[in-house]
Amino acid sequence: MADVTGHLPRGPRRILRAARWSCQGLAAAWRHESSFRLEVCLLVVLAPLALWLGQDGVERALLLGSMLAVLAAELLNSAIEAVIERYGPEYHELAGRAKDMGSAAVFVLMMNVLACWGLVLGPRLL
């Protein structure tokens, strides 16, 4: 879909603005979401381990990428929750379902982390 300027490539100024907005989103998630902070702390601890334990680029990408996917899902889940909270604290079945599904997405990707780490590193331990 075309943006305001049509299909023209984005210039450096627009790319920098988009990067700034992304940084603002990361800062807001850090400030307001304890789950995001915990997952970032786990990434800080486990990322060097993933780079050290992975024997090649594919293994390192699986170990590290699976953790980054959890962070991305947490950001999307937080965005869903923020939009729902914008409309008020009263309970609505669809709002509850959306929040539960966002949480489930994060959970599924956490299970993916365990699967990736187990399948990559498990055979070396046995």
Side-chain angles (χ1 to χ4, degrees):
M1 181 170 197
D3 57 13
V4 177
T5 62
H7 293 288
L8 298 175
R10 292 177 182 236
R13 183 178 302 144
R14 291 194 61 207
I15 292 171
L16 288 174
R17 273 193 230 144
R20 189 180 83 229
W21 294 326
S22 296
C23 289
Q24 288 173 352
L26 289 169
W30 179 265
R31 210 173 20 259
H32 300 289
E33 298 294 330
S34 60
S35 295
F36 182 76
R37 288 191 299 272
L38 175 62
E39 290 156 359
V40 168
C41 290
L42 286 172
L43 178 71
V44 167
V45 170
L46 293 176
L49 196 60
L51 296 174
W52 182 58
L53 293 175
Q55 290 183 341
D56 59 19
V58 172
E59 287 187 356
R60 290 181 186 113
L62 280 170
L63 297 175
L64 188 58
S66 63
M67 293 185 299
L68 291 172
V70 170
L71 285 180
E74 186 65 52
L75 288 166
L76 293 171
N77 184 41
S78 297
I80 290 167
E81 290 179 352
V83 169
I84 290 171
E85 292 301 318
R86 157 70 174 87
Y87 289 100
E90 66 276 354
Y91 177 79
H92 189 281
E93 180 183 348
L94 293 176
R97 190 183 313 163
K99 290 172 86 171
D100 290 347
M101 288 177 178
S103 179
V106 174
F107 177 77
V108 167
L109 286 170
M110 286 180 175
M111 294 303 101
N112 182 58
V113 170
L114 292 176
C116 288
W117 282 68
L119 291 170
V120 169
L121 301 177
R124 294 184 204 155
L125 300 174
L126 300 177

